[in-house]
Amino acid sequence: ETVAEACYNEVIINALELRGNRKSVVDVLVKFKEAAQGLGLGLYLVVGADVVTYSREFVETRNLPLFGSVEEAQEAVQKARGEQS
């Protein structure tokens, strides 16, 4: 809520340290997605390559914007902002 109140339109979550079995990690990613949607924020998730790979196997996370680094996520935010202008 703090991010939304600060008038940001998007949030980057660094979840590189996210560990657990595949289903529990996917459940966390879905919670991130639902929280961002509930606040009207664009979501950019930074995760490990393994998470990117297996998240594509689940319908709930197949289309999430996943990035390998914060820098990549920041570039995507800037690109999205440029396209909105």
Side-chain angles (χ1 to χ4, degrees):
E1 290 180 21
T2 303
V3 174
E5 290 171 0
C7 298
Y8 292 104
N9 295 322
E10 58 277 312
V11 62
I12 297 173
I13 297 177
N14 184 344
L16 281 171
E17 300 298 321
L18 189 60
R19 300 283 184 264
N21 67 55
R22 290 176 179 206
K23 183 60 178 146
S24 64
V25 170
V26 165
D27 288 344
V28 170
L29 297 179
V30 169
K31 288 184 191 300
F32 287 152
K33 178 178 86 169
E34 291 170 350
Q37 286 175 338
L39 295 169
L41 297 171
L43 177 64
Y44 298 78
L45 290 165
V46 180
V47 296
D50 57 331
V51 176
V52 171
T53 300
Y54 66 72
S55 69
R56 300 299 181 226
E57 299 170 11
F58 293 85
V59 173
E60 310 96 303
T61 54
R62 186 170 293 145
N63 296 318
L64 282 177
L66 304 176
F67 302 90
S69 70
V70 171
E71 292 78 18
E72 289 175 16
Q74 289 171 330
E75 288 173 14
V77 168
Q78 291 303 320
K79 182 177 178 185
R81 286 181 182 170
E83 291 173 0
Q84 293 173 1
S85 302

